[in-house]
């Protein structure tokens, strides 16, 4: 009996996991957002891109595109007012899907970092310990794995892993997720690796989860951040604060002008009093008996 034929240890070379990810954006996006969209598409060789969804039923359009491109996951960039950026990540066709508000982001062109990686290389997904504690974080971890993980032996992927996608929760009290992309650099002495280090490539994202829906951007609400304040409400509060400051400043200016005018009237009255003392006193036209008295005679009599 040949033992080598019983315990065969052959590497799998077939493309078994044929999952694809759809990356799509809404209309009226800026050049920076378009660059971020292209950076993410280039980092995911198994992704299919579509641009400019029409206004209307977003869920229906994404389902049609996923069916057309045979995608099981989707990443949708939703833009409001040309600068407010939201991100949808979900599964097709039955969900779930989660909506994020991107608080801070930078594309590779903005950062101009020194890191570099092979085009089409498969990333290592690194999650911190908080992604195994909370059901919310566990669900997000699964969605990230399905959407961002490049399948092994994908035709467009390179046969190496030279970069790391890092997912870190900001703090125990804050559900924000920091996403970074690093290159793995090796220092070798012959065949031995002396030192490993991570050099950031970009892009950078800070995601704030808002809501989780049961279906594909529709369905029952599974979770919602009750402490989230919409950007429209923040803008309204800023406008009200500016209006209050302007009203306070105008009232203060009016009070100041009123006090100055009052002081000016008081000064005018005082000046008029002194002006009246310098003028000769006018008689009423009748004379007294003492008016014709000679003062020189009066002095001699005394």
């Amino acid at each position: 009996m040949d033992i080598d034929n019983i315990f065969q240890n052959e590497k799998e070379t077939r493309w078994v996991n044929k999952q694809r990810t759809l990356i799509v954006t809404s209309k009226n996006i800026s050049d920076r957002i378009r660059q971020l969209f292209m950076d993410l598409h280039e980092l995911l060789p198994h992704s299919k891109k579509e641009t400019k969804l029409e206004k209307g039923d977003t869920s229906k359009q994404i389902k049609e595109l996923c069916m057309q491109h045979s995608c099981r996951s989707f990443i949708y960039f939703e833009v409001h007012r040309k600068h407010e950026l939201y991100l949808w990540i979900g599964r097709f066709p039955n969900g779930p899907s989660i909506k994020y508000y991107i608080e801070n982001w930078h594309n590779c062109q903005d950062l101009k970092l020194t890191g570099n990686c092979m085009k089409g290389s498969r990333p290592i997904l690194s999650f911190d310990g908080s992604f195994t504690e909370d059901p919310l974080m566990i669900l997000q971890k699964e969605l990230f794995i399905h959407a961002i993980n490049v399948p092994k032996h994908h035709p467009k992927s390179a046969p190496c892993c030279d970069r790391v996608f890092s997912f870190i929760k900001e703090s125990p009290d804050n559900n924000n997720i920091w996403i970074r992309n690093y290159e793995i650099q090796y220092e070798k002495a012959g065949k031995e690796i002396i030192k490993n280090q991570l050099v950031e490539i970009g892009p950078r994202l800070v995601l704030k989860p808002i809501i989780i829906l049961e279906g594909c951007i529709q369905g029952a609400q599974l979770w919602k951040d009750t402490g989230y304040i919409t950007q429209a409400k923040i803008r309204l509060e800023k406008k009200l604060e500016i209006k209050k400051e302007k009203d306070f400043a105008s009232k203060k200016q009016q009070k100041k002008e009123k006090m100055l005018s009052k002081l000016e009237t008081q000064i005018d009255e005082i000046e008029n009093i002194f002006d009246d003392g310098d003028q000769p006193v006018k008689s009423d036209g009748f004379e007294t008996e003492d008016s014709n008295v000679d003062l020189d005679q009066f002095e001699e009599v005394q």
Side-chain angles (χ1 to χ4, degrees):
M1 182 181 292
D2 191 0
I3 299 176
D4 295 335
N5 293 332
I6 297 174
F7 301 100
Q8 293 182 359
N9 189 14
E10 296 180 357
K11 292 183 179 180
E12 184 65 44
T13 58
R14 295 179 301 167
W15 178 29
V16 179
N17 182 10
K18 297 187 178 182
Q19 293 190 99
R20 298 180 180 89
T21 300
L22 175 71
I23 303 180
V24 63
T25 63
S26 61
K27 280 190 172 182
N28 300 324
I29 62 174
S30 62
D31 294 335
R32 290 185 66 239
I33 298 175
R34 187 179 290 106
Q35 184 63 40
L36 176 67
F37 170 78
M38 294 304 299
D39 290 342
L40 191 61
H41 172 63
E42 290 177 0
L43 291 172
L44 304 177
H46 69 299
S47 63
K48 299 290 183 179
K49 67 174 181 177
E50 286 287 341
T51 57
K52 298 182 181 179
L53 285 183
E54 298 294 334
K55 292 183 178 179
D57 192 354
T58 304
S59 176
K60 183 179 179 181
Q61 295 181 63
I62 288 178
K63 285 181 179 179
E64 289 177 355
L65 291 173
C66 287
M67 190 176 295
Q68 179 181 349
H69 294 288
S70 301
C71 298
R72 297 299 304 274
S73 300
F74 64 87
I75 298 174
Y76 171 48
F77 289 95
E78 185 179 2
V79 183
H80 294 174
R81 293 178 173 268
K82 294 186 179 182
H83 62 275
E84 294 177 9
L85 187 57
Y86 297 85
L87 180 68
W88 284 91
I89 296 178
R91 295 281 291 169
F92 170 78
N94 299 321
S97 56
I98 182 169
K99 183 179 182 180
Y100 296 96
Y101 171 63
I102 305 181
E103 288 191 345
N104 191 10
W105 59 274
H106 296 281
N107 54 41
C108 296
Q109 191 173 0
D110 294 340
L111 296 172
K112 296 181 180 178
L113 300 170
T114 58
N116 194 8
C117 64
M118 185 180 293
K119 187 175 181 180
S121 61
R122 298 178 62 234
I124 299 171
L125 304 185
S126 174
F127 298 89
D128 66 352
S130 60
F131 282 87
T132 59
E133 299 172 355
D134 188 7
L136 171 64
M137 304 304 292
I138 294 172
L139 177 60
Q140 293 181 83
K141 179 181 178 181
E142 290 298 322
L143 290 176
F144 284 132
I145 289 173
H146 286 292
I148 297 177
N149 187 32
V150 180
K152 193 174 183 180
H153 302 300
H154 190 277
K156 292 184 179 180
S157 65
C160 65
C161 296
D162 63 345
R163 59 191 177 93
V164 178
F165 260 121
S166 173
F167 300 86
I168 301 173
K169 186 178 178 181
E170 185 172 331
S171 64
D173 300 330
N174 195 343
N175 291 324
N176 289 6
I177 298 173
W178 293 43
I179 300 178
R180 299 288 186 270
N181 185 28
Y182 298 96
E183 177 198 1
I184 305 173
Q185 290 186 354
Y186 304 97
E187 291 185 9
K188 294 183 177 181
K191 294 183 178 180
E192 295 183 0
I193 298 174
I194 301 174
K195 184 181 179 181
N196 297 337
Q197 63 178 357
L198 298 177
V199 181
E200 189 173 358
I201 304 171
R204 292 178 180 174
L205 296 171
V206 179
L207 307 180
K208 183 179 184 63
I210 301 173
I211 192 171
I212 299 176
L213 301 180
E214 186 178 3
C216 180
I217 315 186
Q218 63 179 3
Q221 179 180 302
L222 301 179
W223 177 86
K224 185 178 181 181
D225 185 5
T226 55
Y228 174 71
I229 302 174
T230 61
Q231 297 302 308
K233 190 173 181 180
I234 291 172
R235 286 195 302 270
L236 181 61
E237 289 177 354
K238 286 182 179 179
K239 286 181 181 178
L240 291 175
E241 287 180 1
I242 293 169
K243 188 178 179 181
K244 285 181 181 179
E245 289 177 359
K246 287 182 178 179
D247 293 342
F248 178 75
S250 63
K251 286 181 180 179
K252 193 174 180 180
Q253 184 67 22
Q254 289 175 4
K255 190 175 180 181
K256 186 178 179 180
E257 290 176 356
K258 189 176 180 181
M259 290 178 67
L260 287 173
S261 62
K262 191 174 180 180
L263 287 172
E264 287 177 358
T265 54
Q266 290 178 357
I267 291 169
D268 292 339
E269 290 176 358
I270 293 169
E271 289 179 353
N272 292 333
I273 291 170
F274 288 104
D275 291 341
D276 293 340
D278 294 337
Q279 294 179 359
V281 179
K282 295 182 180 179
S283 63
D284 295 334
F286 49 81
E287 298 177 355
T288 61
E289 295 179 354
D290 298 335
S291 61
N292 296 324
V293 176
D294 190 1
L295 294 177
D296 296 333
Q297 295 178 1
F298 179 76
E299 289 177 356
E300 290 178 359
V301 170
Q302 289 181 351

